[in-house]
Amino acid sequence: RHELSNYSLLRLRHADGAIVSMHQGGTHWLKFMLASAMSSYYEIPPPQYNHANDIIGGVKDPVIYPQIPCIKSSHTIAPLLFRNSLALGVLKLPPCVLLVRDLRACLVSNYRKWKTRYAITFSEYLRGDPSGRKFNSDIWWCIRFLNAWGRVAELNNSCHIVRYEDMSLRPHTELERVATHFSIPLTHASIDYGVSAATKLAMVQRADPARPPGEVNRHNKHPMGAYNAKDRQFVDWACAKFLRVSFGYNYKRWE
């Protein structure tokens, strides 16, 4: 139902680039790093808030700085139409950066952010809602996202994949690759500025008061510790049965 009717990504055709990411996949971090680096290179004000929507906004956000490349961001799952090579050739999407993360970490982060609203245990949340009505993201949403965009990435060589874990290890390198993919000629100085500006403390201090808290993960606990034995068995089963594109993650490994 969702994948037949959601065509909001068509609005990206007129952008210069798009960041498509999982919920709690490091979206704010990548956007804030890139937006900060762009503000340094193009000599515009730095992003006002940690979501950086004034520089890298969503598909509905207005363009504030028309003199810089227009990069948009989205959590949207690619519709069925986009998983056809002929349709992709006709639609001509802009260069796309696909930001993915171990779905188990995404689920823990999502639960911690919305725990009060969900008002259930983590194990209950983990089983999810296949209809997609109860949660803004759950295991079924993650599987749909990864399968859909995995297919698009196979068909479209303008789709550059970034793994959150790689970005954590090599932020300068990954940020430079993202900028290169978007044909943004950032200097080493602007990349350094972008990475150094996007610390967790700095981003917490730039929280948007109009948005719910928790957009920056301040927990230091290893996310795998949230899963009990039955939870792990459930994830093993769901991924083995339904996940077709893993992006290199081994969902049978829990260390």
Side-chain angles (χ1 to χ4, degrees):
R1 173 172 54 84
H2 289 292
E3 295 164 10
L4 283 171
S5 59
N6 181 14
Y7 292 99
S8 63
L9 284 178
L10 292 175
R11 300 181 183 182
L12 297 176
R13 287 180 296 170
H14 304 296
D16 296 309
I19 297 174
V20 182
S21 57
M22 301 173 71
H23 290 284
Q24 279 69 51
T27 311
H28 277 64
W29 184 26
L30 177 56
K31 285 179 60 178
F32 195 83
M33 279 198 296
L34 181 58
S36 297
M38 291 174 67
S39 73
S40 172
Y41 181 79
Y42 291 106
E43 298 182 342
I44 60 174
Q48 180 179 8
Y49 298 118
N50 56 30
H51 52 62
N53 282 353
D54 47 347
I55 298 178
I56 303 174
V59 293
K60 296 181 180 180
D61 291 324
V63 175
I64 307 298
Y65 303 103
Q67 71 271 33
I68 69 173
C70 177
I71 310 298
K72 293 292 187 177
S73 68
S74 175
H75 292 305
T76 299
I77 295 174
L80 288 172
L81 176 64
F82 281 44
R83 287 170 247 176
N84 177 281
S85 57
L86 179 61
L88 279 175
V90 172
L91 294 172
K92 295 182 179 179
L93 290 178
C96 174
V97 166
L98 176 60
L99 178 61
V100 298
R101 186 182 185 185
D102 188 314
L103 68 80
R104 295 168 296 189
C106 289
L107 293 173
V108 172
S109 182
N110 184 276
Y111 177 75
R112 287 171 176 167
K113 179 177 181 178
W114 301 108
K115 182 177 180 179
T116 301
R117 176 184 292 184
Y118 293 160
I120 56 177
T121 67
F122 175 73
S123 292
E124 291 173 306
Y125 160 75
L126 178 62
R127 272 62 183 175
D129 172 27
S131 73
R133 294 185 176 91
K134 290 184 179 180
F135 313 109
N136 75 326
S137 175
D138 62 9
I139 191 169
W140 307 117
W141 186 96
C142 290
I143 289 174
R144 287 173 50 225
F145 180 97
L146 295 171
N147 286 342
W149 281 105
R151 175 60 176 166
V152 173
E154 290 176 1
L155 297 173
N156 189 355
N157 58 12
S158 67
C159 191
H160 173 68
I161 298 168
V162 177
R163 300 201 330 168
Y164 173 87
E165 294 79 5
D166 296 332
M167 193 166 66
S168 298
L169 292 174
R170 300 176 295 273
H172 291 81
T173 300
E174 295 302 326
L175 181 59
E176 183 176 17
R177 289 175 177 170
V178 168
T180 299
H181 187 67
F182 287 147
S183 299
I184 301 175
L186 297 181
T187 62
H188 290 301
S190 60
I191 290 173
D192 287 341
Y193 175 79
V195 173
S196 62
T199 64
K200 283 193 175 185
L201 178 59
M203 292 183 65
V204 168
Q205 293 174 343
R206 287 181 180 263
D208 186 344
R211 292 186 166 223
E215 73 283 5
V216 179
N217 185 6
R218 305 181 71 179
H219 293 275
N220 294 320
K221 295 180 180 179
H222 196 284
M224 302 307 174
Y227 295 83
N228 61 35
K230 290 185 177 180
D231 293 339
R232 296 185 179 199
Q233 290 175 0
F234 172 76
V235 173
D236 289 345
W237 168 81
C239 290
K241 186 172 180 62
F242 298 107
L243 184 64
R244 296 189 295 274
V245 186
S246 68
F247 291 96
Y249 295 104
N250 182 356
Y251 288 111
K252 290 186 175 295
R253 183 174 179 178
W254 289 88
E255 297 177 2

